[in-house]
Amino acid sequence: EFNANSDVRLWGSSSLIVDELGSGNLVLGGGPNGALTAIRPTVADRVVRTAGNVTTTSSTLVDVTGLSLTLLTSANPATGCFAASCSSNDAAGVIRLVVDVDGTDYGGTTGLEILEHTVGEELNCSFCMTTADLTAASHTFKVQFSNNDGVDTTTVFCNSGNECQFSVVEVMD
């Protein structure tokens, strides 16, 4: 049995495996030049909201309350995935969704656009967006939404019978 303070070394003809003391990093080395590559555990988290639906009449992107995560990443991209249903009170309403990372909207200024066809119909508004390489730092990820005209009411369903989820995973290069 090994724990976080274990120091393990295995030697072969051209490879070395080391679990650094208390670091949580696994370091692999191999080849004739002994090059080492550090491999970190996956950085990921998720949040589930069941506390009630979230609505907006804004044509400017606003946060979906309760769908925010902060992760400490390396200099890699991250993928944020949102799973929920949504609707508009206008048969021609346009629902817009993005993943916001530290104030940068992934999905553009209008984001993913979903067109309502029947007033109040629950639509699948699930999507994933992948960022460009982030800096090695703490980052805040949020789901944001709006509508096309600032008049319609857009609803994201986040209740006990229809939860919404947001997850973020760092993509290791």
Side-chain angles (χ1 to χ4, degrees):
E1 180 177 325
F2 299 101
N3 59 43
N5 294 320
S6 297
D7 188 15
V8 179
R9 291 185 176 96
L10 302 173
W11 283 269
S13 61
S14 64
S15 64
L16 167 69
I17 300 175
V18 178
D19 181 6
E20 295 177 341
L21 288 172
S23 70
N25 291 326
L26 177 63
V27 179
L28 304 174
N33 64 2
L36 295 176
T37 303
I39 300 176
R40 296 180 335 132
T42 301
V43 175
D45 202 356
R46 79 175 184 126
V47 63
V48 176
R49 179 182 164 88
T50 59
N53 300 338
V54 183
T55 63
T56 188
T57 57
S58 178
S59 61
T60 304
L61 292 165
V62 295
D63 296 349
V64 177
T65 306
L67 295 185
S68 176
L69 294 168
T70 301
L71 293 177
L72 179 62
T73 69
S74 295
N76 294 308
T79 298
C81 293
F82 171 68
S85 56
C86 60
S87 73
S88 172
N89 70 340
D90 180 351
V94 177
I95 301 161
R96 297 175 170 161
L97 295 153
V98 300
V99 171
D100 175 277
V101 183
D102 302 330
T104 298
D105 294 329
Y106 287 88
T109 55
T110 59
L112 172 70
E113 293 187 327
I114 300 167
L115 178 61
E116 181 77 56
H117 293 286
T118 303
V119 173
E121 178 183 14
E122 289 189 30
L123 304 169
N124 180 357
C125 293
S126 304
F127 70 95
C128 294
M129 296 271 178
T130 301
T131 70
D133 283 349
L134 301 171
T135 58
S138 179
H139 299 282
T140 300
F141 299 82
K142 300 187 262 186
V143 177
Q144 294 186 323
F145 73 136
S146 68
N147 63 50
N148 60 313
D149 63 12
V151 175
D152 302 339
T153 299
T154 300
T155 302
V156 174
F157 295 95
C158 299
N159 54 62
S160 60
N162 200 355
E163 68 184 27
C164 55
Q165 295 187 25
F166 179 49
S167 60
V168 178
V169 177
E170 180 179 7
V171 180
M172 305 301 281
D173 290 321

